[in-house]
Amino acid sequence: MHQRTAEPTEDHAAIQRVLEQAVDHGGLPGILAEVREGDHRWFGTAGVADTRTRRKRSPHDRFRIGSISKTFVATVVLQLAAERRLGLDDTVERWLPRLVQGGTSVTVRMLLGHTSGIFNYTDDQAALNSLEAHRPESLVRIAMAHPPTFAPGSGWAYSNTNYVLAGLLVERATGRALAEEIAERIARPLGLTGTCLPHGSDPTIHGPHSRHYTKLFRTDPGAPVHDATELDPAMFWAAGGMISTAGDLNRFLAALLGGRILPPDQQHAMFTTVPTRDWIADSAYGLGVSSVRLPCGETLWGMGGALFGSWSYAYGTRDGGRMLTANVNGDWCDGGWSDPIGVFTDLLQEAFRR
């Protein structure tokens, strides 16, 4: 799809100021943002992609998108539901027998909506770090060593285990690798040339990319910075292992929000939300997507994702007509922002202020 570069506007100037403040006052290594409206796009950046070479970030830079991977996985599951190859109210036990304790009470819909009550395996870092190989079934077993957070369907709690199970379910229903289903159903048709789910434990971001820097969740300004660009994606897989670009994410979400990927019934299911708890402020969650209400009153739709050294936000209007995707290649923030979500909120405020 041909895209034209938008002429800079007052909105874009305000967005650029937030980008520069995130680096100058927030202490981030680098940040980028792309605004898409129809076939026009504007790209802005501040800071660097590589602190050693001082190379600037570019529109072509690939980065790890963390939990925005969940939106891709949920889309595949909903497409399979539209094809009647599975049902959203099928139990997990039907598709993955004897893998989940209480799987006869957990449905596919509960997995996608985080209402299953299944423990989040990434909350047991000791067990995760002790694994010799991060196979999906091993990640699920970590979760099964813990009691449920609540009875299935009776609450909401974000759990990466839900999406590891959803990925396994896709592979069981199709007989093919999740990575290939995402590529064939979403990436190739939409021309997302910078988007993939890495195979196995390949730690490399292939193609142009920014370095990813982390303080390993230490909050003191003097905490050492580590380069986390090379990372085993298998420990996150369907829950957060994908790589993409700002342009690809805007194109994907514009098509998804605009109703060009899912039939109406599955689109309605995806965007039927429940309130969240202990997550992003003023948010609700559907099936692999979330809504966020900004301080200005605007409600946007999309998803955020965080991984060591890479935090991303991709949100837009409900019809997909206007989108913003932003990424920071560091996972901390100083100087008044509590974390990169504060930066993203400011960017969305400027981009969608009417």
Side-chain angles (χ1 to χ4, degrees):
M1 180 186 296
H2 176 68
Q3 291 181 320
R4 290 175 287 172
T5 301
E7 293 297 322
T9 66
E10 185 176 334
D11 287 347
H12 298 148
I15 294 169
Q16 183 62 43
R17 285 193 292 271
V18 176
L19 299 178
E20 292 167 0
Q21 290 169 1
V23 173
D24 295 340
H25 304 302
L28 287 165
I31 184 171
L32 60 79
E34 184 190 277
V35 177
R36 173 186 174 124
E37 190 159 13
D39 63 351
H40 291 85
R41 65 181 182 181
W42 174 89
F43 178 81
T45 186
V48 298
D50 187 321
T51 57
R52 182 180 62 84
T53 67
R54 311 304 296 176
R55 176 176 67 84
K56 301 296 183 183
R57 305 198 71 183
S58 86
H60 307 292
D61 276 358
R62 301 175 184 184
F63 46 86
R64 301 190 189 278
I65 64 172
S67 284
I68 303 177
S69 306
K70 293 179 172 70
T71 311
F72 287 85
V73 174
T75 300
V76 171
V77 173
L78 287 163
Q79 287 181 337
L80 293 172
E83 296 162 10
R84 299 185 183 278
R85 299 173 69 176
L86 57 79
L88 292 181
D89 296 315
D90 290 351
T91 66
V92 173
E93 183 67 18
R94 173 178 175 179
W95 289 100
L96 304 170
R98 297 179 298 281
L99 184 60
V100 174
Q101 297 172 18
T104 57
S105 300
V106 176
T107 66
V108 176
R109 192 189 307 270
M110 291 175 189
L111 295 180
L112 300 184
H114 293 302
T115 59
S116 71
I118 294 173
F119 180 83
N120 182 8
Y121 74 90
T122 53
D123 286 346
D124 190 341
Q125 281 294 317
L128 185 60
N129 293 338
S130 70
L131 291 178
E132 293 184 6
H134 296 103
R135 297 186 180 90
E137 293 83 358
S138 300
L139 304 178
V140 175
R141 281 195 287 272
I142 291 175
M144 292 301 104
H146 298 265
T149 307
F150 49 77
S154 67
W156 189 92
Y158 199 86
S159 174
N160 288 312
T161 315
N162 288 323
Y163 274 80
V164 171
L165 289 164
L168 286 170
L169 190 150
V170 168
E171 296 193 334
R172 181 64 58 87
T174 64
R176 303 203 313 164
L178 175 64
E180 186 55 32
E181 288 293 322
I182 291 172
E184 183 170 302
R185 291 172 173 272
I186 302 173
R188 290 175 193 147
L190 292 178
L192 310 183
T193 57
T195 299
C196 70
L197 175 63
H199 290 277
S201 296
D202 183 359
T204 304
I205 301 176
H206 298 279
H209 60 276
S210 302
R211 306 303 298 179
H212 291 14
Y213 300 102
T214 180
K215 288 188 176 182
L216 299 176
F217 305 110
R218 289 183 57 180
T219 56
D220 52 297
V225 175
H226 307 271
D227 189 321
T229 312
E230 302 290 307
L231 178 143
D232 177 4
M235 71 177 75
F236 303 107
W237 192 50
M242 289 184 66
I243 292 166
S244 191
T245 69
D248 278 6
L249 290 177
N250 274 343
R251 182 178 296 184
F252 165 57
L253 283 166
L256 183 65
L257 288 163
R260 300 193 296 277
I261 298 180
L262 294 173
D265 286 351
Q266 286 69 39
Q267 185 85 348
H268 176 76
M270 174 174 259
F271 290 93
T272 298
T273 64
V274 297
T276 63
R277 288 184 56 199
D278 303 319
W279 199 52
I280 299 171
D282 296 314
S283 67
Y285 200 88
L287 304 183
V289 296
S290 64
S291 66
V292 174
R293 184 168 54 83
L294 299 178
C296 66
E298 182 83 24
T299 296
L300 303 178
W301 296 81
M303 190 59 185
L307 218 56
F308 295 108
S310 180
W311 285 47
S312 308
Y313 245 36
Y315 281 89
T317 54
R318 179 62 185 82
D319 63 357
R322 185 172 175 86
M323 301 295 310
L324 180 142
T325 291
N327 172 265
V328 297
N329 61 338
D331 54 18
W332 68 89
C333 228
D334 305 321
W337 281 308
S338 60
D339 58 47
I341 290 178
V343 176
F344 297 145
T345 301
D346 288 351
L347 286 171
L348 293 175
Q349 278 272 97
E350 298 298 345
F352 295 90
R353 191 189 304 275
R354 295 298 185 187

